[in-house]
Amino acid sequence: RSLTFLIQSLLPCSYFMEVIRPAFFSAGTSSNNQKFTSFFQNIIKIDLLFSIPCFFFLVIYSHDIIMIIFNGKFITYSAVLSVLFFSSVVNSFAFPVELIAQLKEKANLFLYSKIFAVYNFIAAIFLIKLFGIWGAVFATETAILGKNLFIWYFIKEHASFKGLERFLLKIFSFWA
């Protein structure tokens, strides 16, 4: 997971997001427009423009990356790197969702979403026994996705996915 974070931190979006955060709060508090769907979708598009090519690169070269970085020690688990990065691509909506929830002062959602940490703990206990590292990956990534979907559900009137289908189809088909 730390290798996935390292790759994500090298993407230009990580720097872009730190500029967007204060600008969003400044514009969001002074704006009469309480619909943030265009902001939400634009942030997702910008993130995916960099993340999806990186994901396909990892699908092709994860075996070689593991061979170089870890001297082939974990080569049997090279697919885990691609799966973890795919999860981060799927969860690309987390950053704008959290920003909108913070702006709308929905701090209670963050507290309630901690139930997914409990789910992660319990699922990991059972799934690691059955599936090893893949059980841990499944438990952790579904918990993260569940937390993000939970928060999104309560702010969905301000952040809609409607209209993103065409963009997602184009970018995935292009890079595939």
Side-chain angles (χ1 to χ4, degrees), residues 78-148:
S78 63
V80 172
L81 180 60
S82 300
V83 171
L84 287 174
F85 201 83
F86 179 73
S87 176
S88 69
V89 169
V90 170
N91 284 305
S92 64
F93 68 97
F95 176 74
V97 161
E98 289 173 2
L99 281 182
I100 294 170
Q102 287 173 358
L103 184 68
K104 294 296 178 183
E105 298 178 355
K106 303 270 187 178
N108 60 338
L109 294 179
F110 293 103
L111 176 65
Y112 299 147
S113 71
K114 298 301 180 195
I115 191 72
F116 290 97
V118 175
Y119 157 78
N120 185 20
F121 179 73
I122 293 170
I125 289 172
F126 292 111
L127 293 177
I128 289 173
K129 287 181 184 177
L130 296 173
F131 303 108
I133 193 168
W134 289 106
V137 167
F138 182 79
T140 302
E141 301 308 320
T142 55
I144 293 169
L145 180 63
K147 176 193 77 97
N148 293 334

Side-chain angles (χ1 to χ4, degrees), residues 20-85:
I20 287 295
R21 184 183 312 272
F24 173 73
F25 284 114
S26 174
T29 55
S30 64
S31 174
N32 291 333
N33 183 11
Q34 296 301 314
K35 295 281 185 180
F36 297 104
T37 298
S38 63
F39 164 80
F40 175 74
Q41 290 184 358
N42 287 332
I43 295 298
I44 291 174
K45 287 177 183 178
I46 290 168
D47 189 28
L48 292 179
L49 280 175
F50 294 99
S51 298
I52 290 175
C54 193
F55 163 70
F56 282 106
F57 178 82
L58 287 175
V59 167
I60 296 169
Y61 294 110
S62 65
H63 188 272
D64 298 328
I65 292 170
I66 298 297
M67 186 63 106
I68 291 169
I69 294 176
F70 297 109
N71 201 21
K73 186 176 180 181
F74 304 107
I75 204 71
T76 56
Y77 300 111
S78 63
V80 172
L81 180 60
S82 300
V83 171
L84 287 174
F85 201 83

